[in-house]
Amino acid sequence: TPGQRETLRKLGMLPKEADSLLQQIRDAGMTGFKAKMNEWGVRAREGLFDGLDAIKRAEAELGVTDADSMGYVSARLATGLADVMHGIMHYAAPEWRDGIIQARANTRGVLDVLSDLGSDLTPWLVWLGSKRAQLLKAQGRENNMSDADIAEGLAMGAGKEAKFERVYREYAKINEAVLDLAEQGGLIDPAQRATWLTDYYVPFYRETEDSVFSGPRTSKGLSHQSAAIKALKGGDMPTNDLLENMLQGWTKRVDAAMKNKALMETVDNLKGSRFMTQEDLKWQRPVVPRAEVVKKIRGDREYLEFWAEQLGLDETANHLQVAHELNKLDSKGYEELWGRVAPTDPDVIRVQRAGKNEYYRVHDEALLRAVKHMEGSQFNDPVTKLGRAFKRVLTTGVTASPDFILRNFIRDAAHAWAINPDGFKFGRDSIKGLHAAFKEDQDYRDLMFAGASFQGGYVHATDPEASAQIIRRALEKKGLSRQQRADYLASLITSPAKAADMLKQGWQKYRELGDAVENSNRLSTYKAALAAGKSKRQAAFEAKDVMDYSMRGNFAAAVWFTDMVPFLNARMQGLYKLGRATKTESGEWAME
């Protein structure tokens, strides 16, 4: 009846409207399916291609899309440790400028400085170490070398003092520059830096009784970086080789400064949002056994100095003196302590700012994966290590062949032209870039210091030992003997790919030619971006992004397969870059 029909209409139950309801249910199902597919696609992109992708997406959601302020850009450039160390070894000391690392004016590279010594490298190192030991011994902080040892070491500089002092002053400029880098990267404050900048400084990292190296190692991921500079306590064990100590210390501090600065930018962009909130230290009242108090005093210089001050002792007091005074006290007075305890939850990250720790709780699972990315290979079992070794030998042989170098240059030229938004001229700009790379012009050096070139190309891009390989090649180029390299860098260079040592001297020049060809189109991209009015930082990032072999996904399977299968990651990253380049400007992948 008409009345019933009206009732059905008002209740939305007429046949036509019922069909609409069913369609709505279908649409709702499709919407959920599409949302799930999009979620899977985002996770696949992160897991297969770019483990840092969540940083970019979080920043984009909050409107941070300028390359000069994106933590994502700094994190991508922070994978270029081998490039920066290559620049320091060959060209100049580093400094932060325009948001990236660049060469410091009026300085020389480590190899140029050391080459002034000629055959006196070993005497200079002994002389410098003896100078350092002499100063430390006067402060009661050197128990390894006796006065006779120090005198004998200083005598190795007899008649050569002027040359040794001149080389030391240039070496000191590089060391000061690395400390500046650490300070501006948030790892230390000016006061701390001043205490570490001492005359005749050379790191005295030692071997422990178990032959374990006591020097700093590069830390995995962006979080929990440090300058790794600690007060000497007067060890009596022999030092490691002093040249190795220098390189190890610089490598650690450069790596930590780049990563910590990237995390600082990420935190500043995201803190207070749904992605990340600051986490304060908490006060706790732990009961500390007497033995633990004494143990901590022996192993923690800052804790020792704190108790020395509380007990009215001089800050140079040793742990025995402090422990003796503590034993006179009622244990209840110091065993029940209130202390501020850093959060250790797995979703909390740490960043250093002016040498002070800041903690942030990450509320987004993908973002947490991203800031913990850059950890290198998760697989260090013997089978995977052997597989990486064979992969490295194979890729070295393939990429060294002239036909591969030529084909790769042509392929990269077409690739760079196809994706470049800045008027890149096919063929012509690639040839210009090749010429500039052979000349190692200023732009080429700037690209290297920014961490945006690839020294070693396919071979070293995701290799955790890349910086050691670059250092060895640099020393070989300067003509140091094989015995000297073995003496000074034996424990630093642990890569199994030692076949290059058996090749002729011309091999290194040939490898440099290959690196120049590999970087020629990146250099052309960099120059085109600068000509288009872009900043050096954005230009460097776009040049690296032409083909970034250091990118990799964070799926465990993806890490393992790219570790083991030659050229797999290069092929994946090439396809991924083409995919991003073909997305529209409104697409989620758009970076430019």
Side-chain angles (χ1 to χ4, degrees):
T1 65
Q4 290 175 328
R5 184 175 180 82
E6 181 63 15
T7 300
L8 291 172
R9 186 188 69 79
K10 290 182 177 181
L11 292 175
M13 297 301 294
L14 286 175
K16 182 177 180 181
E17 293 174 334
D19 288 344
S20 297
L21 178 60
L22 291 174
Q23 185 61 45
Q24 290 175 24
I25 295 173
R26 294 190 195 99
D27 290 344
M30 287 301 297
T31 300
F33 177 73
K34 289 178 181 177
K36 181 59 68 174
M37 288 296 293
N38 182 66
E39 179 185 333
W40 289 341
V42 169
R43 183 66 184 98
R45 186 162 76 245
E46 171 195 334
L48 293 173
F49 303 107
D50 183 4
L52 298 170
D53 182 68
I55 298 176
K56 178 177 68 176
R57 287 188 283 108
E59 290 180 324
E61 182 176 316
L62 298 180
V64 182
T65 56
D66 183 359
D68 289 335
S69 56
M70 292 176 66
Y72 173 77
V73 170
S74 288
R76 286 277 299 276
L77 294 176
T79 62
L81 172 63
D83 303 324
V84 179
M85 289 304 299
H86 188 91
I88 294 172
M89 295 299 292
H90 281 281
Y91 304 123
E95 68 176 1
W96 289 110
R97 196 165 68 248
D98 302 324
I100 55 175
I101 296 178
Q102 298 189 49
R104 175 172 286 188
N106 302 317
T107 60
R108 294 196 293 160
V110 176
L111 272 298
D112 279 342
V113 172
L114 296 183
S115 66
D116 289 347
L117 292 165
S119 60
D120 287 327
L121 177 60
T122 297
W124 179 77
L125 288 167
V126 175
W127 172 85
L128 178 58
S130 300
K131 283 275 194 180
R132 173 73 166 155
Q134 187 179 48
L135 293 174
L136 292 173
K137 199 169 186 66
Q139 303 168 12
R141 295 193 292 156
E142 173 55 38
N143 299 319
N144 175 36
M145 295 184 69
S146 66
D147 291 335
D149 294 331
I150 293 172
E152 186 172 341
L154 294 175
M156 295 188 72
K160 305 173 183 177
E161 290 87 355
K163 179 171 75 170
F164 283 11
E165 285 284 353
R166 185 176 66 253
V167 171
Y168 166 71
R169 294 303 165 191
E170 291 206 64
Y171 153 79
K173 287 183 181 180
I174 301 171
N175 197 56
E176 289 177 26
V178 173
L179 282 177
D180 287 342
L181 208 70
E183 179 185 341
Q184 294 164 27
L187 300 175
I188 57 177
D189 65 20
Q192 291 172 318
R193 181 188 179 282
T195 62
W196 291 320
L197 191 61
T198 59
D199 284 337
Y200 302 106
Y201 175 79
V202 61
F204 269 14
Y205 310 135
R206 305 175 189 271
E207 280 194 4
T208 67
E209 293 180 357
D210 298 322
S211 298
V212 177
F213 181 54
S214 65
R217 303 292 187 185
T218 54
S219 298
K220 298 176 179 180
L222 296 177
S223 181
H224 288 72
Q225 295 295 327
S226 72
I229 306 177
K230 298 181 179 180
L232 282 175
K233 305 172 187 176
D236 57 6
M237 298 299 295
T239 66
N240 288 314
D241 180 88
L242 295 182
L243 179 57
E244 178 192 338
N245 285 355
M246 293 174 188
L247 299 175
Q248 192 76 16
W250 288 336
T251 300
K252 163 61 183 176
R253 281 182 266 288
V254 171
D255 179 68
M258 294 170 73
K259 290 177 179 176
N260 192 70
K261 187 172 185 296
L263 189 56
M264 273 200 302
E265 293 176 359
T266 301
V267 164
D268 289 343
N269 290 334
L270 302 180
K271 63 183 179 182
S273 70
R274 75 173 185 88
F275 294 103
M276 185 183 298
T277 53
Q278 188 161 5
E279 189 78 4
D280 294 327
L281 299 180
K282 294 180 173 61
W283 287 97
Q284 292 184 4
R285 188 184 182 187
V287 176
V288 184
R290 183 191 304 266
E292 288 300 317
V293 175
V294 175
K295 180 180 178 181
K296 187 171 177 60
I297 288 173
R298 294 183 64 183
D300 188 327
R301 182 71 190 182
E302 291 184 4
Y303 196 64
L304 171 62
E305 291 173 354
F306 165 77
W307 276 109
E309 181 181 354
Q310 296 300 313
L311 295 169
L313 300 175
D314 187 86
E315 64 178 10
T316 61
N318 61 41
H319 70 274
L320 293 177
Q321 294 170 307
V322 173
H324 178 72
E325 292 298 319
L326 281 173
N327 284 332
K328 297 179 181 179
L329 301 178
D330 179 5
S331 64
K332 187 176 182 180
Y334 64 90
E335 288 186 358
E336 294 185 7
L337 304 173
W338 281 94
R340 298 186 73 189
V341 180
T344 58
D345 300 336
D347 59 346
V348 172
I349 61 173
R350 189 196 79 189
V351 63
Q352 286 199 308
R353 197 184 305 271
K356 302 294 188 297
N357 294 336
E358 294 180 358
Y359 297 88
Y360 294 86
R361 189 173 298 277
V362 181
H363 305 293
D364 183 83
E365 185 177 346
L367 180 62
L368 184 63
R369 285 194 299 266
V371 296
K372 291 184 175 181
H373 192 52
M374 296 167 55
E375 294 187 353
S377 179
Q378 305 169 22
F379 304 96
N380 289 303
D381 57 278
V383 173
T384 306
K385 285 184 177 180
L386 183 62
R388 282 201 295 264
F390 280 117
K391 171 191 169 184
R392 188 182 297 120
V393 172
L394 176 62
T395 52
T396 298
V398 171
T399 58
S401 65
D403 61 321
F404 178 91
I405 292 174
L406 178 60
R407 289 200 313 271
N408 194 52
F409 172 73
I410 296 172
R411 183 169 52 245
D412 284 354
H415 176 79
W417 168 75
I419 65 175
N420 190 276
D422 298 320
F424 191 98
K425 301 295 188 298
F426 179 66
R428 188 184 71 179
D429 283 349
S430 296
I431 295 297
K432 286 183 177 180
L434 184 61
H435 182 254
F438 282 141
K439 290 195 334 182
E440 298 185 358
D441 69 359
Q442 189 58 50
D443 285 340
Y444 183 78
R445 299 183 182 194
D446 287 347
L447 197 63
M448 186 178 298
F449 271 97
S453 67
F454 287 88
Q455 299 303 305
Y458 293 99
V459 181
H460 298 301
T462 57
D463 188 341
E465 296 161 351
S467 57
Q469 293 279 6
I470 297 302
I471 289 169
R472 176 169 64 178
R473 287 170 54 191
L475 291 174
E476 289 173 343
K477 180 181 178 183
K478 286 296 178 182
L480 297 184
S481 70
R482 178 174 299 184
Q483 185 58 48
Q484 286 174 308
R485 295 196 308 274
D487 289 344
Y488 295 132
L489 299 177
S491 60
L492 177 65
I493 300 170
T494 58
S495 169
K498 296 183 182 290
D501 290 340
M502 297 158 44
L503 301 177
K504 297 180 180 179
Q505 264 188 334
W507 171 251
Q508 293 307 321
K509 284 291 183 184
Y510 185 73
R511 286 295 300 274
E512 289 172 18
L513 180 147
D515 286 346
V517 174
E518 176 66 48
N519 287 300
S520 58
N521 286 289
R522 292 186 182 86
L523 182 56
S524 297
T525 300
Y526 178 76
K527 290 177 179 290
L530 291 179
K534 296 178 180 178
S535 67
K536 283 191 173 183
R537 176 178 158 118
Q538 182 171 355
F541 173 75
E542 290 184 4
K544 183 166 189 170
D545 200 41
V546 167
M547 179 67 76
D548 189 353
Y549 302 125
S550 65
M551 284 177 66
R552 66 193 310 178
N554 55 24
F555 283 150
V559 172
W560 190 84
F561 276 109
T562 54
D563 266 358
M564 299 288 285
V565 181
F567 302 105
L568 176 60
N569 194 52
R571 178 59 57 88
M572 292 174 65
Q573 294 304 330
L575 294 173
Y576 180 51
K577 176 60 180 177
L578 285 174
R580 286 183 290 143
T582 56
K583 293 288 283 186
T584 64
E585 291 185 2
S586 60
E588 186 184 354
W589 289 7
M591 181 67 206
E592 293 77 18

